[in-house]
Amino acid sequence: MTTKKTNRKQALFLAAITLLCAFFVAERGQAHQVSSVSLISHLDTEKGTYLLDAAMEVVPSVDQAVNDQISPEDAAREFANEYLEILCDEKKVEPELSISIETASDENTPEELQRQQVLVKMTGEFPEGAKGFLLYLDPSCPMAVVMVTIKDDRPSRRMQVILAGEYSRPVNIQPLVEGDPFTEPGKGESKATPAVEKREDASPTSTDQDTSDEKSAKKRSSIIEGWLAYFGFSLVPTLLPAAILLLTLNARLVFGQIAALVIGQSSGIAVAAFGIVGAFTWTIPIAGLLLAVVAGEALFHRECKWWRYVIALVAGFFSGLVIPMAPGFSEVLAEGQSVSTVRLLGFIFGTEMGLVAAALVASGVLLFLSRFDWYRTSIVQPLTVLCSGYGIFLVIERFL
């Protein structure tokens, strides 16, 4: 009788996972979607205007009827309005949008493989007295945005890669003034003196000096940044150690799984830092699905099979790809986008400390409760359902 109930639970769980995977694949065929964005910010401090020139590659669905529901222009407009925020002195400004389309494929490309590039121009004027300009990417944005800033016809030295939930580097938009800033009042100014940026009432968002946030971030240890990123962005990294403990509390087996989780998580963070694998749309849903699998196995048996370690390693890897989405992760980068190895190692160590702390707290609570007869029915099963349900929710939420 017990075997039949177990088989029924396994069948229901596998059926749910299969349906989710089918739903995941089916949703990939939805209407036009923006697949990549590159952005050039033209800032004119003399005229007090800005122009954001965004090139968005739009991928169509294989179903033309679905494409007719959302045009490439609508997809680009939705992306610009929903994910991109232009801020002047940390206050949002509303630009005017103009959209045009050009084909990104040549004449010999088959029609079904052709790609369209939508050019979106966002224009406007700086608010009166504004001193700082920056761009914010909404945390729900499915991709990173590559941006180059051109201020008064002078391009910045390095491009920026803005991740979801992050701000771009601030730009001082105060008008230029002629003269020597060190000239004493009343003395003549040399005409040959190059233009320098006005310093009066310097904004905290000036590029000539770090913002107060950047100063505090630089003073903050990369280990602390890693700790905060582990707990502060998503619940998946925190729930994974607890989900592992739901199957068994055997010290040797738990240690092996936690070790696999640590290795996977550290590897995920490292490859994200070096740009080998980026944080894309599917990162969080896959991490949620793996959380559901890790937790859900506790419903069927209490044995730690060999594949458990493989699942823990893979789940840790995708958890490691989720953590870099936290705003603090950008602080491991120095000199634009080159990786500071020391800060990266400190960041990884901070996340590992967070993982170990979460595992110790969860194990302490579960070991205490495991002494009671109702532990499996009243503790393990409800927690398994909650963790699995949250993981499945992350998959469904992405496509709603």
Side-chain angles (χ1 to χ4, degrees):
M1 189 68 178
T2 304
T3 304
K4 290 183 178 179
K5 288 183 178 180
T6 302
N7 291 336
R8 186 178 300 174
K9 287 182 180 179
Q10 292 175 339
L12 289 174
F13 186 77
L14 291 174
I17 295 299
T18 303
L19 287 174
L20 282 171
C21 292
F23 180 74
F24 181 86
V25 174
E27 285 292 335
R28 306 300 288 183
Q30 55 189 325
H32 289 102
Q33 275 193 317
V34 176
S35 62
S36 65
V37 179
S38 57
L39 182 67
I40 301 177
S41 298
H42 300 269
L43 309 178
D44 192 325
T45 60
E46 183 178 350
K47 296 180 180 178
T49 60
Y50 63 86
L51 163 63
L52 271 63
D53 199 350
M56 304 184 184
E57 185 176 348
V58 178
V59 180
S61 168
V62 294
D63 188 349
Q64 186 58 42
V66 177
N67 288 332
D68 293 338
Q69 297 176 6
I70 300 179
S71 65
E73 297 95 325
D74 291 337
R77 182 179 291 105
E78 181 180 359
F79 187 94
N81 290 330
E82 184 174 351
Y83 299 127
L84 299 177
E85 291 187 13
I86 301 173
L87 304 175
C88 289
D89 292 345
E90 301 182 1
K91 294 181 180 179
K92 184 177 179 180
V93 295
E94 298 293 340
E96 295 183 3
L97 269 65
S98 63
I99 301 176
S100 60
I101 298 180
E102 66 177 29
T103 303
S105 306
D106 57 34
E107 299 177 353
N108 299 324
T109 304
E111 184 176 354
E112 62 274 10
L113 297 179
Q114 287 188 359
R115 295 290 181 266
Q116 291 180 313
Q117 192 172 62
V118 182
L119 304 180
V120 181
K121 296 184 182 295
M122 294 167 275
T123 57
E125 296 182 355
F126 299 130
E128 185 177 354
K131 301 172 183 177
F133 171 91
L134 50 84
L135 188 71
Y136 176 68
L137 197 59
D138 190 88
S140 61
C141 183
M143 69 196 71
V145 171
V146 179
M147 184 177 78
V148 173
T149 302
I150 300 177
K151 175 183 172 182
D152 296 328
D153 297 325
R154 291 178 295 179
S156 57
R157 294 182 179 180
R158 300 177 181 87
M159 69 177 184
Q160 302 180 60
V161 179
I162 309 172
L163 301 177
E166 288 194 350
Y167 293 90
S168 67
R169 291 193 294 273
V171 180
N172 181 15
I173 55 175
Q174 295 177 96
L176 302 179
V177 294
E178 297 292 333
D180 187 349
F182 300 103
T183 302
E184 295 181 7
K187 290 188 177 182
E189 297 180 352
S190 172
K191 294 183 179 180
T193 305
V196 295
E197 293 186 2
K198 190 176 181 179
R199 302 289 181 158
E200 294 82 37
D201 300 324
S203 167
T205 56
S206 170
T207 54
D208 293 326
Q209 54 182 328
D210 295 323
T211 64
S212 58
D213 290 340
E214 286 176 333
K215 286 181 178 179
S216 61
K218 287 182 178 180
K219 292 178 181 178
R220 186 186 297 161
S221 168
S222 59
I223 297 177
I224 297 177
E225 291 287 357
W227 174 278
L228 296 176
Y230 180 84
F231 292 105
F233 184 76
S234 172
L235 287 176
V236 172
T238 308
L239 291 178
L240 272 173
I244 284 176
L245 291 164
L246 294 175
L247 181 67
T248 178
L249 292 174
N250 180 281
R252 180 178 60 83
L253 300 177
V254 168
F255 180 82
Q257 295 174 77
I258 295 297
L261 196 63
V262 168
I263 294 172
Q265 178 176 290
S266 301
S267 301
I269 295 173
V271 298
F274 287 100
I276 300 173
V277 178
F280 295 106
T281 305
W282 41 262
T283 307
I284 292 180
I286 289 183
L289 188 61
L290 289 167
L291 171 64
V293 172
V294 171
E297 192 175 357
L299 287 175
F300 311 129
H301 59 82
R302 303 182 187 182
E303 298 179 10
C304 185
K305 306 291 186 179
W306 63 267
W307 62 75
R308 184 77 173 177
Y309 301 99
V310 178
I311 294 175
L313 183 68
V314 176
F317 179 79
F318 280 97
S319 172
L321 293 181
V322 170
I323 292 173
M325 295 181 182
F329 181 71
S330 62
E331 298 306 322
V332 306
L333 304 179
E335 297 297 328
Q337 294 298 319
S338 61
V339 178
S340 170
T341 305
V342 174
R343 291 189 62 80
L344 175 59
L345 291 176
F347 184 91
I348 292 176
F349 182 68
T351 62
E352 291 173 350
M353 289 177 59
L355 191 156
V356 172
L360 289 175
V361 171
S363 62
V365 174
L366 294 178
L367 279 171
F368 172 77
L369 296 174
S370 65
R371 300 181 300 173
F372 302 98
D373 296 335
W374 39 261
Y375 170 69
R376 300 237 21 122
T377 56
S378 301
I379 301 297
V380 172
Q381 292 181 7
L383 287 179
T384 299
V385 172
L386 286 175
C387 289
S388 299
Y390 177 71
I392 294 172
F393 167 76
L394 292 177
V395 178
I396 297 175
E397 181 190 36
R398 172 62 188 88
F399 302 105
L400 290 180

